[in-house]
Amino acid sequence: MDDEINFLNLLSCGAMMAYIGAEEMQRSKRRKKARHGVSPYLKDRNEKGRFASDFEHLHMDSSRFIENFRMPPEIFDELFERLQPHLRPKKNTRPKDAAGTLQRHVASCYRISKQHIGKIVSDVCKAICCALKQEISEWTEATLREVADGFQKQWNFPNCVGAADGKHVAIKAPPNSGSLFYNYKGFHSIVLMATCDANYRFTYIDVGAYGSEGDSNVVKNSKFGSSVLNDECNFPPDTFIDEKKIPHFIVGDDAFPLCKRIIKPYGSKPLSTEERICNYRLSRARRCIENAFGILSSRWLCLRKVLICHPDRAQLVVSACCQLHNFLLNKSRQTYNPAMFSGFETSDGNWEAGQWHYGNQI
């Protein structure tokens, strides 16, 4: 049952991909007759499948629609219009991979074969990543300056152009992979390495590193990390703070290498007052990426469970979730991340964990 719930939760209960895929399949029913026999149960998809029988009713109930899709109906319609050009069916194509028994529940709901539901997952994720790729801005001097202004305004931490961290996304161990994907936490995973701005939007993602790699190695081995460590990114010019010239930088935890463009907290040795204040201020900025990951995994519940798929498909799913995360923060923040859902500071300066921290869903 847990495995079925895990897949049912894929991209918010699997509904987005299944609905979009079902609609495209319904629109393309004039294709050539299949060479293999089709089950009468599947033939009734356009009349009795969940998309045909339930979608319009759900679309008219805004609150329930948001529960299923994490977005209002009008935002979903806008998203579908952006994805539709990338989802046109190709002539004479058939799925080449069997999706496995764990997808039968979702496939049965929409009267889609279990082989084809796996292809829908991949195709819709690819379409999301393509259609929404501009939701994660390129690193330019102008965009980094805007991010730095956000950290200054929101968290009173100047010259910060991003908070960075890594998240392990659990996957089923691929055959013959040995310990490549086995992480220090005791499960198999791929790594999502990301940076975010002061408002929890991702500004960079790198998905797919082996779970056995530490954050430091993931940073060093990525093209992005190499450019940061070698100071080759388009960072804004240094600025003067208290008459000292200070470069722009990324904040990270102890797992990250310390360099001109990456700063992390002072160690556990006895700290001076100034060092403790610096750690406090830095932690406020670094908390943004923890919040971003918390919101992401709370809204797209597949990231809280084990992805029962090949690592390549898992990369697509994680990337699509990140793109949707940014899209909904930009288009429907009050629905996707209302005030109490993410963490916040109280009037006396103490940190109050958000509802995502306790697993609450709204």
Side-chain angles (χ1 to χ4, degrees), residues 77-190:
D77 293 341
E78 178 182 343
L79 175 64
F80 177 74
E81 290 300 318
R82 292 177 64 171
L83 296 189
Q84 190 174 3
H86 303 279
L87 291 170
R88 297 295 184 189
K90 297 179 181 178
K91 194 174 183 180
N92 296 330
T93 57
R94 294 183 59 83
K96 296 179 180 178
D97 60 323
T101 57
L102 296 179
Q103 300 181 14
R104 287 179 180 173
H105 186 89
V106 174
S108 295
C109 283
Y110 301 96
R111 301 205 177 206
I112 300 170
S113 69
K114 64 180 183 294
Q115 291 84 4
H116 210 96
I117 192 70
K119 186 174 186 299
I120 288 175
V121 171
S122 295
D123 287 350
V124 175
C125 285
K126 289 176 183 177
I128 289 171
C129 292
C130 187
L132 303 183
K133 60 184 179 182
Q134 293 183 344
E135 295 297 327
I136 298 180
S137 302
E138 293 185 11
W139 276 47
T140 65
E141 183 178 324
T143 58
L144 293 185
R145 192 186 300 277
E146 184 178 345
V147 172
D149 290 343
F151 276 102
Q152 172 70 62
K153 181 179 179 180
Q154 292 283 104
W155 305 109
N156 196 23
F157 199 64
N159 284 29
C160 179
V161 296
D165 202 359
K167 173 180 175 59
H168 287 270
V169 179
I171 63 169
K172 182 180 179 181
N176 305 315
S177 62
S179 60
L180 274 179
F181 293 92
Y182 195 75
N183 63 44
Y184 69 96
K185 297 182 178 182
F187 60 90
H188 294 84
S189 66
I190 58 173

Side-chain angles (χ1 to χ4, degrees), residues 257-309:
L258 182 64
C259 67
K260 175 182 176 181
R261 298 299 186 180
I262 301 178
I263 68 170
K264 55 186 184 179
Y266 286 99
S268 57
K269 66 180 180 64
L271 304 179
S272 67
T273 301
E274 290 79 8
E275 289 171 337
R276 284 189 287 107
I277 292 173
C278 179
N279 276 5
Y280 165 73
R281 299 278 288 277
L282 190 151
S283 69
R284 296 172 81 221
R286 189 174 59 82
R287 198 181 284 131
C288 290
I289 190 63
E290 296 174 2
N291 251 342
F293 285 151
I295 296 165
L296 177 75
S297 58
S298 293
R299 290 313 194 192
W300 311 108
L301 299 180
C302 61
L303 303 185
R304 284 192 166 186
K305 297 285 187 176
V306 178
L307 291 176
I308 311 295
C309 58

Side-chain angles (χ1 to χ4, degrees), residues 49-68:
R50 191 185 173 197
F51 171 76
S53 63
D54 189 46
F55 182 75
E56 288 188 8
H57 296 91
L58 189 62
H59 196 278
M60 292 185 290
D61 188 334
S62 180
S63 61
R64 292 189 183 277
F65 195 94
I66 292 172
E67 288 177 1
N68 277 267

